[in-house]
Amino acid sequence: MASVAAQATSRGSSLIAVIADEDTVTGFLLAGVGNVDLRRKTNYLVVDAKTTVKAIEDAFKEFTTREDIAIILISQYVANMIRFMIDSYKNPIPSILEIPSKDHPYDPSQDSILSRVKHMFSSDPTGSTDRV
Amino acid sequence: MGEDVQNAGYVKDTTTMGENVQDAGCVKDMTTMGEDVQGAGSNGNSDMDMEMIRWLDSVHQLLCLRDSLSQVLRQGWMEMAQARYAMGPARISQPLYSLKPYAASASVSVKSSPSSGAPETAVDQEDVFQPTSNCAIHFALQKRSSDGDDHTSNQPSKNTLKSRNMHHSSKSGEQAHLVPSDWSREEDIAYKKLMGDTDDSDTDTELQPKTSTQALGSTKPLQWFGGLVSPHLRAAQSSFESALEIVVDIANAQSDAVQGHGHGDVKIQENVGGPQTPEQLMEH
């Protein structure tokens, strides 16, 4: 293992995964982010009333371990269901973006990334945030 | 507002404006304007102040982008609701999604470069693409048009693509793409055809089974919902395409904010010589 200066590297044509409600997934599929490979594996998951937390966890794990996904869009109310997984996720890629949903507006206080940023200014050293 | 800050070591809220900071070491939110930071003290503290200001700028940009994303998404949902009202609820639903293999027309390119001040890190001889938290990561949206050409919002560098457990799958002269190494040869050939053979992208491409595995192609998602779709659905598509561009900008701003946060901690530890929170540092 050689000790060298880190070099700029790049990766092209990575996918954007979506874990959200039907309207949001439909919209982003219309925008062209959808991908179905030869094994019928998709880069999106539609979350509805029948979707279990386990299914969301499995999808999140799968998307975070796939090498061809660079960004994961997840509705905030879905992210709240698996908040412990998202808080413990520290890798820069794929990047996790919490987005609002039709029925649940975006709440910055619940965003994992902004919570880390807010901790810098928090007078509470524990950095606790109010989450519903 | 209009106060003179006499002492260091506190954090002010965003709405204060026109203040004169007469002592160094206070952390203020970026919307304060017209301030004169005097008494910067040592060069280490002034570097840290500049780092803080840059970081606060990235946080501000992140919040602005989130606000615009919410607005664009709201517009897209409204247009989709109008399309669903016009076409019927069953005409725009998940069962109509195409499950035939197709490639995404909108993707992102990722560029990772070492950030300034980041310590040199040992890398493997294999030179794998493993960006760390010290790397500056930049995302660029790539869209494949109907003629098969890739258009990038920000031109990424044409460095060689490296990744762990991936190998190149490309035709000569084409952009290299990464595929999992455990794909069979037939899947690899089909994937190459998908990436290289996009002649029929004007219509919703039907699978052409030239081999045992079906050839992949691009698709037009609007055609999943019928030959004649409501103009509201087209408007919704346009809104979500705009939202996609904002999403990529948010990813970049988020990466800058998180990276800047990490740098701030590193600089604080370097200057003070121990792990301390910024609040403890301000009290010195």
Side-chain angles (χ1 to χ4, degrees):
Chain A
M1 190 185 296
S3 174
V4 296
Q7 298 175 2
T9 54
S10 67
R11 181 168 74 180
S13 297
S14 295
L15 301 174
I16 300 173
V18 185
I19 304 176
D21 56 282
E22 184 179 275
D23 277 4
T24 307
V25 172
T26 302
F28 280 110
L29 290 182
L30 287 171
V33 304
N35 185 83
V36 179
D37 64 8
L38 292 172
R39 299 177 181 177
R40 299 288 201 270
K41 273 172 49 175
T42 62
N43 63 330
Y44 56 86
L45 173 70
V46 177
V47 177
D48 54 19
K50 299 176 190 171
T51 309
T52 61
V53 175
K54 177 86 172 46
I56 299 171
E57 289 175 6
D58 292 341
F60 183 79
K61 267 185 220 168
E62 181 199 336
F63 292 157
T64 49
T65 50
R66 276 174 66 166
E67 298 281 346
D68 56 347
I69 291 178
I71 298 176
I72 298 177
L73 302 179
I74 182 167
S75 289
Q76 194 169 54
Y77 83 98
V78 176
N80 287 339
M81 297 181 195
I82 56 170
R83 183 58 64 191
F84 62 99
M85 286 186 74
I86 294 180
D87 283 347
S88 60
Y89 179 81
K90 303 290 183 196
N91 294 345
I93 291 177
S95 177
I96 311 294
L97 258 71
E98 295 182 28
I99 59 176
S101 69
K102 196 172 57 169
D103 302 322
H104 302 84
Y106 177 73
D107 184 0
S109 65
Q110 299 183 18
D111 192 319
S112 292
I113 303 295
L114 284 182
S115 294
R116 281 187 232 167
V117 172
K118 183 183 169 186
H119 176 63
M120 191 75 176
F121 298 97
S122 173
S123 57
D124 180 4
T126 61
S128 61
T129 58
D130 294 330
R131 289 207 182 106
V132 176
Chain B
M1 295 180 54
E3 303 168 356
D4 291 338
V5 177
Q6 299 287 342
N7 297 315
Y10 65 95
V11 177
K12 298 198 68 160
D13 202 1
T14 62
T15 55
T16 52
M17 296 175 65
E19 302 168 355
N20 292 327
V21 178
Q22 297 198 359
D23 204 342
C26 70
V27 177
K28 303 182 70 170
D29 196 275
M30 55 78 59
T31 56
T32 53
M33 297 174 66
E35 302 165 1
D36 296 328
V37 180
Q38 301 178 6
S42 66
N43 287 337
N45 283 338
S46 64
D47 288 344
M48 200 164 64
D49 287 341
M50 291 309 298
E51 195 71 34
M52 280 293 177
I53 291 171
R54 268 195 292 269
W55 174 59
L56 289 170
D57 281 341
S58 65
V59 171
H60 175 71
Q61 187 189 14
L62 179 62
L63 292 174
C64 290
L65 286 171
R66 286 230 172 250
D67 185 53
S68 57
L69 177 68
S70 294
Q71 290 177 3
V72 171
L73 283 178
R74 204 174 302 133
Q75 182 184 353
W77 289 320
M78 180 63 71
E79 285 158 353
M80 191 168 301
Q82 289 173 332
R84 193 173 271 128
Y85 179 77
M87 295 169 63
R91 290 280 307 278
I92 304 175
S93 59
Q94 184 186 357
L96 295 176
Y97 296 172
S98 172
L99 287 179
K100 297 175 183 175
Y102 64 90
S105 59
S107 58
V108 290
S109 63
V110 184
K111 181 179 175 185
S112 170
S113 58
S115 56
S116 59
E120 291 187 3
T121 54
V123 297
D124 293 333
Q125 292 282 0
E126 299 164 348
D127 196 12
V128 296
F129 183 76
Q130 276 185 307
T132 65
S133 56
N134 288 332
C135 296
I137 296 171
H138 181 77
F139 300 95
L141 183 65
Q142 286 180 324
K143 282 190 177 178
R144 181 173 304 172
S145 61
S146 56
D147 55 0
D149 294 333
D150 284 335
H151 301 283
T152 318
S153 56
N154 293 319
Q155 293 295 332
S157 62
K158 298 292 183 182
N159 294 331
T160 306
L161 302 176
K162 304 282 184 191
S163 179
R164 177 176 54 183
N165 296 331
M166 305 284 269
H167 65 270
H168 291 268
S169 173
S170 64
K171 294 173 68 173
S172 60
E174 294 288 339
Q175 184 179 3
H177 298 278
L178 302 175
V179 297
S181 58
D182 60 344
W183 278 20
S184 66
R185 188 171 179 276
E186 285 177 347
E187 288 173 330
D188 206 2
I189 293 171
Y191 191 82
K192 283 181 187 176
K193 286 182 182 172
L194 164 68
M195 291 302 150
D197 188 4
T198 55
D199 298 335
D200 250 354
S201 57
D202 285 342
T203 59
D204 192 358
T205 305
E206 292 293 332
L207 296 180
Q208 300 172 8
K210 296 180 182 177
T211 62
S212 59
T213 59
Q214 295 174 335
L216 298 177
S218 60
T219 184
K220 286 196 167 183
L222 265 181
Q223 297 184 357
W224 301 346
F225 307 106
L228 290 175
V229 297
S230 167
H232 294 295
L233 194 62
R234 295 181 189 274
Q237 182 184 40
S238 173
S239 295
F240 276 94
E241 285 173 353
S242 306
L244 198 58
E245 294 173 6
I246 299 174
V247 157
V248 174
D249 291 339
I250 289 177
N252 287 327
Q254 197 167 276
S255 170
D256 290 343
V258 171
Q259 187 209 8
H261 180 228
H263 278 176
D265 283 345
V266 168
K267 282 195 178 292
I268 288 168
Q269 292 177 16
E270 285 175 356
N271 290 338
V272 176
Q276 291 189 6
T277 65
E279 292 77 15
Q280 290 171 343
L281 178 64
M282 301 311 155
E283 291 172 1
H284 291 271

mmCIF file with all atom_site columns, all heavy atoms in Angstrom, chain B residues 205-220:
data_model
loop_
_atom_site.group_PDB
_atom_site.id
_atom_site.type_symbol
_atom_site.label_atom_id
_atom_site.label_alt_id
_atom_site.label_comp_id
_atom_site.label_asym_id
_atom_site.label_entity_id
_atom_site.label_seq_id
_atom_site.pdbx_PDB_ins_code
_atom_site.Cartn_x
_atom_site.Cartn_y
_atom_site.Cartn_z
_atom_site.occupancy
_atom_site.B_iso_or_equiv
_atom_site.pdbx_formal_charge
_atom_site.auth_seq_id
_atom_site.auth_comp_id
_atom_site.auth_asym_id
_atom_site.auth_atom_id
_atom_site.pdbx_PDB_model_num
ATOM 1   N N   . THR B 1 205 ? -39.393 1.547   -26.513 1.00 0.00 ? 205 THR B N   1
ATOM 2   C CA  . THR B 1 205 ? -38.693 0.429   -27.140 1.00 0.00 ? 205 THR B CA  1
ATOM 3   C C   . THR B 1 205 ? -39.231 -0.890  -26.645 1.00 0.00 ? 205 THR B C   1
ATOM 4   O O   . THR B 1 205 ? -39.264 -1.155  -25.450 1.00 0.00 ? 205 THR B O   1
ATOM 5   C CB  . THR B 1 205 ? -37.193 0.528   -26.808 1.00 0.00 ? 205 THR B CB  1
ATOM 6   O OG1 . THR B 1 205 ? -36.717 1.794   -27.211 1.00 0.00 ? 205 THR B OG1 1
ATOM 7   C CG2 . THR B 1 205 ? -36.453 -0.565  -27.536 1.00 0.00 ? 205 THR B CG2 1
ATOM 8   N N   . GLU B 1 206 ? -39.661 -1.717  -27.554 1.00 0.00 ? 206 GLU B N   1
ATOM 9   C CA  . GLU B 1 206 ? -40.049 -3.066  -27.203 1.00 0.00 ? 206 GLU B CA  1
ATOM 10  C C   . GLU B 1 206 ? -38.802 -3.923  -27.130 1.00 0.00 ? 206 GLU B C   1
ATOM 11  O O   . GLU B 1 206 ? -37.838 -3.698  -27.829 1.00 0.00 ? 206 GLU B O   1
ATOM 12  C CB  . GLU B 1 206 ? -40.999 -3.644  -28.251 1.00 0.00 ? 206 GLU B CB  1
ATOM 13  C CG  . GLU B 1 206 ? -42.369 -2.965  -28.295 1.00 0.00 ? 206 GLU B CG  1
ATOM 14  C CD  . GLU B 1 206 ? -43.158 -3.243  -27.028 1.00 0.00 ? 206 GLU B CD  1
ATOM 15  O OE1 . GLU B 1 206 ? -42.931 -4.306  -26.413 1.00 0.00 ? 206 GLU B OE1 1
ATOM 16  O OE2 . GLU B 1 206 ? -43.965 -2.396  -26.638 1.00 0.00 ? 206 GLU B OE2 1
ATOM 17  N N   . LEU B 1 207 ? -38.829 -4.921  -26.310 1.00 0.00 ? 207 LEU B N   1
ATOM 18  C CA  . LEU B 1 207 ? -37.685 -5.803  -26.182 1.00 0.00 ? 207 LEU B CA  1
ATOM 19  C C   . LEU B 1 207 ? -37.531 -6.604  -27.459 1.00 0.00 ? 207 LEU B C   1
ATOM 20  O O   . LEU B 1 207 ? -38.501 -7.122  -28.010 1.00 0.00 ? 207 LEU B O   1
ATOM 21  C CB  . LEU B 1 207 ? -37.871 -6.743  -24.999 1.00 0.00 ? 207 LEU B CB  1
ATOM 22  C CG  . LEU B 1 207 ? -37.936 -6.034  -23.646 1.00 0.00 ? 207 LEU B CG  1
ATOM 23  C CD1 . LEU B 1 207 ? -38.127 -7.040  -22.542 1.00 0.00 ? 207 LEU B CD1 1
ATOM 24  C CD2 . LEU B 1 207 ? -36.691 -5.221  -23.402 1.00 0.00 ? 207 LEU B CD2 1
ATOM 25  N N   . GLN B 1 208 ? -36.305 -6.694  -27.938 1.00 0.00 ? 208 GLN B N   1
ATOM 26  C CA  . GLN B 1 208 ? -36.032 -7.454  -29.152 1.00 0.00 ? 208 GLN B CA  1
ATOM 27  C C   . GLN B 1 208 ? -35.155 -8.629  -28.781 1.00 0.00 ? 208 GLN B C   1
ATOM 28  O O   . GLN B 1 208 ? -33.944 -8.472  -28.640 1.00 0.00 ? 208 GLN B O   1
ATOM 29  C CB  . GLN B 1 208 ? -35.331 -6.561  -30.178 1.00 0.00 ? 208 GLN B CB  1
ATOM 30  C CG  . GLN B 1 208 ? -36.194 -5.364  -30.560 1.00 0.00 ? 208 GLN B CG  1
ATOM 31  C CD  . GLN B 1 208 ? -35.437 -4.385  -31.412 1.00 0.00 ? 208 GLN B CD  1
ATOM 32  O OE1 . GLN B 1 208 ? -34.323 -4.663  -31.834 1.00 0.00 ? 208 GLN B OE1 1
ATOM 33  N NE2 . GLN B 1 208 ? -36.048 -3.233  -31.674 1.00 0.00 ? 208 GLN B NE2 1
ATOM 34  N N   . PRO B 1 209 ? -35.741 -9.742  -28.584 1.00 0.00 ? 209 PRO B N   1
ATOM 35  C CA  . PRO B 1 209 ? -34.981 -10.894 -28.074 1.00 0.00 ? 209 PRO B CA  1
ATOM 36  C C   . PRO B 1 209 ? -34.070 -11.491 -29.125 1.00 0.00 ? 209 PRO B C   1
ATOM 37  O O   . PRO B 1 209 ? -34.426 -12.436 -29.826 1.00 0.00 ? 209 PRO B O   1
ATOM 38  C CB  . PRO B 1 209 ? -36.056 -11.876 -27.628 1.00 0.00 ? 209 PRO B CB  1
ATOM 39  C CG  . PRO B 1 209 ? -37.251 -11.514 -28.437 1.00 0.00 ? 209 PRO B CG  1
ATOM 40  C CD  . PRO B 1 209 ? -37.168 -10.058 -28.742 1.00 0.00 ? 209 PRO B CD  1
ATOM 41  N N   . LYS B 1 210 ? -32.877 -10.890 -29.284 1.00 0.00 ? 210 LYS B N   1
ATOM 42  C CA  . LYS B 1 210 ? -31.933 -11.437 -30.245 1.00 0.00 ? 210 LYS B CA  1
ATOM 43  C C   . LYS B 1 210 ? -31.189 -12.608 -29.639 1.00 0.00 ? 210 LYS B C   1
ATOM 44  O O   . LYS B 1 210 ? -30.727 -13.484 -30.300 1.00 0.00 ? 210 LYS B O   1
ATOM 45  C CB  . LYS B 1 210 ? -30.938 -10.352 -30.666 1.00 0.00 ? 210 LYS B CB  1
ATOM 46  C CG  . LYS B 1 210 ? -31.608 -9.210  -31.391 1.00 0.00 ? 210 LYS B CG  1
ATOM 47  C CD  . LYS B 1 210 ? -30.607 -8.162  -31.804 1.00 0.00 ? 210 LYS B CD  1
ATOM 48  C CE  . LYS B 1 210 ? -31.313 -7.016  -32.491 1.00 0.00 ? 210 LYS B CE  1
ATOM 49  N NZ  . LYS B 1 210 ? -30.382 -5.955  -32.849 1.00 0.00 ? 210 LYS B NZ  1
ATOM 50  N N   . THR B 1 211 ? -31.022 -12.604 -28.341 1.00 0.00 ? 211 THR B N   1
ATOM 51  C CA  . THR B 1 211 ? -30.377 -13.694 -27.644 1.00 0.00 ? 211 THR B CA  1
ATOM 52  C C   . THR B 1 211 ? -31.345 -14.202 -26.601 1.00 0.00 ? 211 THR B C   1
ATOM 53  O O   . THR B 1 211 ? -32.499 -13.773 -26.549 1.00 0.00 ? 211 THR B O   1
ATOM 54  C CB  . THR B 1 211 ? -29.067 -13.233 -26.984 1.00 0.00 ? 211 THR B CB  1
ATOM 55  O OG1 . THR B 1 211 ? -29.409 -12.237 -26.025 1.00 0.00 ? 211 THR B OG1 1
ATOM 56  C CG2 . THR B 1 211 ? -28.150 -12.623 -28.016 1.00 0.00 ? 211 THR B CG2 1
ATOM 57  N N   . SER B 1 212 ? -30.884 -15.118 -25.787 1.00 0.00 ? 212 SER B N   1
ATOM 58  C CA  . SER B 1 212 ? -31.771 -15.639 -24.759 1.00 0.00 ? 212 SER B CA  1
ATOM 59  C C   . SER B 1 212 ? -32.155 -14.543 -23.771 1.00 0.00 ? 212 SER B C   1
ATOM 60  O O   . SER B 1 212 ? -33.229 -14.521 -23.225 1.00 0.00 ? 212 SER B O   1
ATOM 61  C CB  . SER B 1 212 ? -31.099 -16.806 -24.032 1.00 0.00 ? 212 SER B CB  1
ATOM 62  O OG  . SER B 1 212 ? -29.889 -16.362 -23.455 1.00 0.00 ? 212 SER B OG  1
ATOM 63  N N   . THR B 1 213 ? -31.267 -13.630 -23.521 1.00 0.00 ? 213 THR B N   1
ATOM 64  C CA  . THR B 1 213 ? -31.613 -12.488 -22.665 1.00 0.00 ? 213 THR B CA  1
ATOM 65  C C   . THR B 1 213 ? -32.119 -11.357 -23.543 1.00 0.00 ? 213 THR B C   1
ATOM 66  O O   . THR B 1 213 ? -31.625 -11.083 -24.611 1.00 0.00 ? 213 THR B O   1
ATOM 67  C CB  . THR B 1 213 ? -30.394 -11.994 -21.881 1.00 0.00 ? 213 THR B CB  1
ATOM 68  O OG1 . THR B 1 213 ? -29.390 -11.628 -22.805 1.00 0.00 ? 213 THR B OG1 1
ATOM 69  C CG2 . THR B 1 213 ? -29.876 -13.100 -20.980 1.00 0.00 ? 213 THR B CG2 1
ATOM 70  N N   . GLN B 1 214 ? -33.108 -10.668 -23.058 1.00 0.00 ? 214 GLN B N   1
ATOM 71  C CA  . GLN B 1 214 ? -33.727 -9.622  -23.859 1.00 0.00 ? 214 GLN B CA  1
ATOM 72  C C   . GLN B 1 214 ? -32.865 -8.372  -23.867 1.00 0.00 ? 214 GLN B C   1
ATOM 73  O O   . GLN B 1 214 ? -32.282 -7.990  -22.870 1.00 0.00 ? 214 GLN B O   1
ATOM 74  C CB  . GLN B 1 214 ? -35.108 -9.290  -23.288 1.00 0.00 ? 214 GLN B CB  1
ATOM 75  C CG  . GLN B 1 214 ? -36.073 -10.450 -23.401 1.00 0.00 ? 214 GLN B CG  1
ATOM 76  C CD  . GLN B 1 214 ? -37.379 -10.143 -22.707 1.00 0.00 ? 214 GLN B CD  1
ATOM 77  O OE1 . GLN B 1 214 ? -37.411 -9.346  -21.807 1.00 0.00 ? 214 GLN B OE1 1
ATOM 78  N NE2 . GLN B 1 214 ? -38.450 -10.777 -23.132 1.00 0.00 ? 214 GLN B NE2 1
ATOM 79  N N   . ALA B 1 215 ? -32.804 -7.702  -25.009 1.00 0.00 ? 215 ALA B N   1
ATOM 80  C CA  . ALA B 1 215 ? -32.010 -6.488  -25.130 1.00 0.00 ? 215 ALA B CA  1
ATOM 81  C C   . ALA B 1 215 ? -32.713 -5.354  -24.406 1.00 0.00 ? 215 ALA B C   1
ATOM 82  O O   . ALA B 1 215 ? -33.924 -5.227  -24.434 1.00 0.00 ? 215 ALA B O   1
ATOM 83  C CB  . ALA B 1 215 ? -31.828 -6.141  -26.596 1.00 0.00 ? 215 ALA B CB  1
ATOM 84  N N   . LEU B 1 216 ? -31.921 -4.485  -23.777 1.00 0.00 ? 216 LEU B N   1
ATOM 85  C CA  . LEU B 1 216 ? -32.485 -3.381  -23.040 1.00 0.00 ? 216 LEU B CA  1
ATOM 86  C C   . LEU B 1 216 ? -32.585 -2.175  -23.940 1.00 0.00 ? 216 LEU B C   1
ATOM 87  O O   . LEU B 1 216 ? -31.910 -2.051  -24.940 1.00 0.00 ? 216 LEU B O   1
ATOM 88  C CB  . LEU B 1 216 ? -31.627 -3.071  -21.814 1.00 0.00 ? 216 LEU B CB  1
ATOM 89  C CG  . LEU B 1 216 ? -31.528 -4.181  -20.797 1.00 0.00 ? 216 LEU B CG  1
ATOM 90  C CD1 . LEU B 1 216 ? -30.604 -3.778  -19.678 1.00 0.00 ? 216 LEU B CD1 1
ATOM 91  C CD2 . LEU B 1 216 ? -32.892 -4.503  -20.243 1.00 0.00 ? 216 LEU B CD2 1
ATOM 92  N N   . GLY B 1 217 ? -33.402 -1.249  -23.571 1.00 0.00 ? 217 GLY B N   1
ATOM 93  C CA  . GLY B 1 217 ? -33.526 -0.019  -24.321 1.00 0.00 ? 217 GLY B CA  1
ATOM 94  C C   . GLY B 1 217 ? -34.013 1.081   -23.424 1.00 0.00 ? 217 GLY B C   1
ATOM 95  O O   . GLY B 1 217 ? -34.265 0.888   -22.246 1.00 0.00 ? 217 GLY B O   1
ATOM 96  N N   . SER B 1 218 ? -34.129 2.252   -23.981 1.00 0.00 ? 218 SER B N   1
ATOM 97  C CA  . SER B 1 218 ? -34.645 3.366   -23.211 1.00 0.00 ? 218 SER B CA  1
ATOM 98  C C   . SER B 1 218 ? -36.166 3.328   -23.293 1.00 0.00 ? 218 SER B C   1
ATOM 99  O O   . SER B 1 218 ? -36.754 2.561   -24.061 1.00 0.00 ? 218 SER B O   1
ATOM 100 C CB  . SER B 1 218 ? -34.099 4.677   -23.760 1.00 0.00 ? 218 SER B CB  1
ATOM 101 O OG  . SER B 1 218 ? -34.486 4.824   -25.108 1.00 0.00 ? 218 SER B OG  1
ATOM 102 N N   . THR B 1 219 ? -36.768 4.149   -22.526 1.00 0.00 ? 219 THR B N   1
ATOM 103 C CA  . THR B 1 219 ? -38.226 4.174   -22.506 1.00 0.00 ? 219 THR B CA  1
ATOM 104 C C   . THR B 1 219 ? -38.712 5.597   -22.290 1.00 0.00 ? 219 THR B C   1
ATOM 105 O O   . THR B 1 219 ? -37.982 6.447   -21.784 1.00 0.00 ? 219 THR B O   1
ATOM 106 C CB  . THR B 1 219 ? -38.766 3.262   -21.384 1.00 0.00 ? 219 THR B CB  1
ATOM 107 O OG1 . THR B 1 219 ? -40.191 3.242   -21.453 1.00 0.00 ? 219 THR B OG1 1
ATOM 108 C CG2 . THR B 1 219 ? -38.361 3.782   -20.023 1.00 0.00 ? 219 THR B CG2 1
ATOM 109 N N   . LYS B 1 220 ? -39.924 5.852   -22.689 1.00 0.00 ? 220 LYS B N   1
ATOM 110 C CA  . LYS B 1 220 ? -40.544 7.154   -22.441 1.00 0.00 ? 220 LYS B CA  1
ATOM 111 C C   . LYS B 1 220 ? -41.648 6.934   -21.406 1.00 0.00 ? 220 LYS B C   1
ATOM 112 O O   . LYS B 1 220 ? -42.695 6.359   -21.727 1.00 0.00 ? 220 LYS B O   1
ATOM 113 C CB  . LYS B 1 220 ? -41.117 7.722   -23.729 1.00 0.00 ? 220 LYS B CB  1
ATOM 114 C CG  . LYS B 1 220 ? -40.051 8.234   -24.671 1.00 0.00 ? 220 LYS B CG  1
ATOM 115 C CD  . LYS B 1 220 ? -40.654 9.123   -25.737 1.00 0.00 ? 220 LYS B CD  1
ATOM 116 C CE  . LYS B 1 220 ? -39.542 9.876   -26.462 1.00 0.00 ? 220 LYS B CE  1
ATOM 117 N NZ  . LYS B 1 220 ? -40.068 10.798  -27.465 1.00 0.00 ? 220 LYS B NZ  1
#
